[in-house]
Amino acid sequence: MVIMKLGKGLLVLLLLLVMFSDAELEETLKKREDIDKKSSLTDEEEIVEDDLENTFEHLREIKVLRDTILKLVPTSHPFLRDVLRGKQRKGDSQDDDDEDVVQKENLRETDMEAANSLIKSIVDRVKAMKNSDPNDRSLEEWDGVEFWGEDDISVTDFPEEENTIPLTPEQLEGEELFKKAQSILNATHANKAEAHKLLTAAATLGHREARSMLAWAQLLGTQISPSASSASSQDIPSALQTFKELAETGLPSAHMGLGFFYATGLGGLNASQGKALLHYTVAALGGDTRAQMALGYRHWAGVTTPASCERALDFYRKVANKVAEEVSLSGGPVIQRVRLLDEYENPGYTSGILDQDLIEYYQLLAEKGDIQAQVGLGQLHYQGGRGVPLDHQKALHYFQHAADAGNSLAMAFLGKIYLEGSDIVKQDNETAYKYFKKAAELGNPVGQSGLGLMYLYGRGVERDTSKALKYFSQAADQGWVDGQLQLGNMYFSGTGVSRDYKLANKYFNLASQSGHVLALYNLAQMHATGTGMMRSCPTAVELLKNVAERGKWSDQLMMAHNEYREGRVDEAFVTYTLLAEMGYEVAQSNAAFILDRAETTIFSEEEGFVRALYLWARAAAQGYSPAQVKLGDAHYYGKGTRVDYEVAASHYRSASEQQHNAQAMFNLGYMHERGLGLARDRHLAKRCYDSAAEANADARIPVALALLKLSFLFGLDYVQELSFIDQWDQFLGQNWDLYLIGMLTGMLSMVIYFRRPQPPPPRPAPPVN
């Protein structure tokens, strides 16, 4: 129906062009003749004449197009005849007004049928004329234009004429296989091997989306093949070839793939940000979520395109709408963001991922009847995260045991499981109400919020907004995020209470502090529309970006981390790079980390340094201070760019002043001490060292050594008159300060060694009787 309406709109536009182009052409010709009669022209008149010349040429083109339309449209067609007749009667007498009214009424009644018939007639005439008279100059304007052909018009667009080409048996079979594969992949326990078999069979039958999904699996190295082993399943050249073939058919996901190739230069393709932007745009207009996120990020950050908050808002809103629609009562999956740089530089860094031994320990406690372990494992399996896969069957098992022991939180979560339902647990309002009621009577906020939901929407009980308000208020007073969210919804919509945008904003803010996706989404909508507050496009975009990055595709972050830990670095790098294009800051820094360490074989070491530089820059622009320090290191050591101490110092200063990064402060102190890119000033160096020690306790030991060296240098300042001091650098070399630090470190180690606590002396043996 959308195509039909578009066709009708375009048809009316062309008909208006037919009606009014003659009059405009004649008027312009008269103006041109008047100008030609003038014997002399001033400069200003010459400009006017040039404008009219351009207008005249433009209208000549319109006339050619009009003539083409008149060739295509049968003048005897009732739809066109009525429109043209309306134009001819425009100057008729008042006696014809009644006849005009009748004609308009007839036109309304037959509009749908006539427009549909006319569009089909135009298509047929175009095909016939292009086949019979290929030298017709009037058809040159139509070359390369896609008409409303049989590939674009569905049966629903022309309900009266069922002459569309039906799907072949092979196409029908391919579509059925593809839908089965999708249902398997969307299940709680996805059988990837079975899904791969179905996708392969559908692709063999020519199914485009199935071919595209297999191409993405080849690009990312996703192990969904039943024969997958430790060997890499990544095949970047084959994926590129498939995307090229499918992009010619207009498939959005294939255009997204091509855009990704052009943006990153994978597969030996020459990187072209212009082509990447073009393919991303085509894919985004076709509804591809990844492309919409990529364009939203580029317009927000001004990457290879002018920054535009409104355009970023438009793209991110489309993705956020999809995420909000899929959020369940569980609040959506937990997003685990693990930074490879932090893991590498901080041995004590805790990413939040539970070790398998620890999980097995909790399972042992749960099986022995430990209620807290049962509830904890139930929550982990209910929401996923921390390295534990989402599994409602196991969650039900653990919650059931804890609930039987009288735990109110387990009862409340059982109510959520039965209220929501899944492919594992059948939805049951009666059972959900029973568990919510027991939990609420014990004062549990999760149970109170669950009862509020059931009364608000009349799920298994009679709808009662006053009871819903009471239960939500009780839950919100105890700080439960769902109660805060639902109170915000009630005040925003005026359901059961007087509409109050300030209170809605208050409760949405409280819920968003716990990271609830829907609270972030609702706040973003309020900021985007200026509802109850001043409109703020930047705030709305940041909130919607946060929502968009919590979609189901975010689980690829953990997949990439697991691949990196398993030694499949190339696969992890491509996945991180794809997520980096979609705007994930943690993916940008992780991809840059892999390139910086030259761990991938996809790019050469020098090329990797160059690409790492712009990835660090994108991560730094999103507020990641270690990325800002890495940018300074790249310019200091000349990795991926030329050595430039001043630029390095500017990056260190940004990280120091904006994010109070201790490493950046220390580096600034060293550059002030040596006079590298900054004025040589040991007093400023000492101040920077002291600031680094205050910002991070881990920096105290290196700062202490640096201050010891500074003290030594301050002492040397008093004996600058001695001649051998001038030869100091020549005697020990340019890195003499490093030797001094080593000596001081050795002295400090000796002091620590000799001052260590001594073991108590052995007790004398008791006398032997």
Side-chain angles (χ1 to χ4, degrees), residues 447-631:
Q448 293 166 349
S449 179
L451 277 183
L453 279 173
M454 299 194 76
Y455 280 111
L456 179 62
Y457 297 107
R459 300 280 295 273
V461 294
E462 185 177 352
R463 188 170 186 267
D464 190 331
T465 55
S466 60
K467 288 186 178 181
L469 181 66
K470 181 187 73 171
Y471 285 119
F472 288 145
S473 299
Q474 292 175 355
D477 290 342
Q478 297 188 64
W480 179 238
V481 60
D482 284 343
Q484 296 166 346
L485 171 67
Q486 296 302 332
L487 271 183
N489 288 336
M490 293 186 73
Y491 281 110
F492 182 84
S493 60
T495 303
V497 292
S498 299
R499 180 172 293 176
D500 191 328
Y501 291 133
K502 290 186 178 180
L503 282 176
N505 180 55
K506 168 190 171 182
Y507 286 113
F508 286 152
N509 269 305
L510 289 173
S512 66
Q513 292 173 10
S514 300
H516 200 291
V517 176
L518 292 181
L520 295 169
Y521 176 79
N522 292 341
L523 270 182
Q525 297 292 7
M526 294 184 73
H527 281 286
T529 58
T531 304
M533 61 184 70
M534 290 292 293
R535 184 178 187 272
S536 175
C537 179
T539 304
V541 170
E542 290 181 7
L543 291 169
L544 289 176
K545 181 176 184 291
N546 198 334
V547 174
E549 291 182 354
R550 292 169 180 262
K552 59 184 179 181
W553 41 87
S554 61
D555 59 359
Q556 290 182 313
L557 284 171
M558 278 305 302
M559 291 173 56
H561 181 262
N562 293 335
E563 289 171 342
Y564 182 79
R565 287 293 163 221
E566 293 171 1
R568 302 172 62 218
V569 180
D570 287 348
E571 290 86 341
F573 168 73
V574 174
T575 303
Y576 277 136
T577 306
L578 173 62
L579 295 171
E581 282 292 302
M582 294 166 62
Y584 285 85
E585 175 270 310
V586 65
Q588 293 168 349
S589 59
N590 285 351
F593 174 82
I594 293 174
L595 289 172
D596 219 19
R597 290 172 52 82
E599 293 182 327
T600 178
T601 60
I602 295 177
F603 297 114
S604 64
E605 182 175 355
E606 187 59 34
E607 191 176 8
F609 288 154
V610 175
R611 295 175 186 277
L613 190 64
Y614 75 75
L615 284 170
W616 286 127
R618 292 184 183 182
Q622 297 200 59
Y624 184 46
S625 62
Q628 194 83 52
V629 176
K630 284 294 182 179
L631 282 176

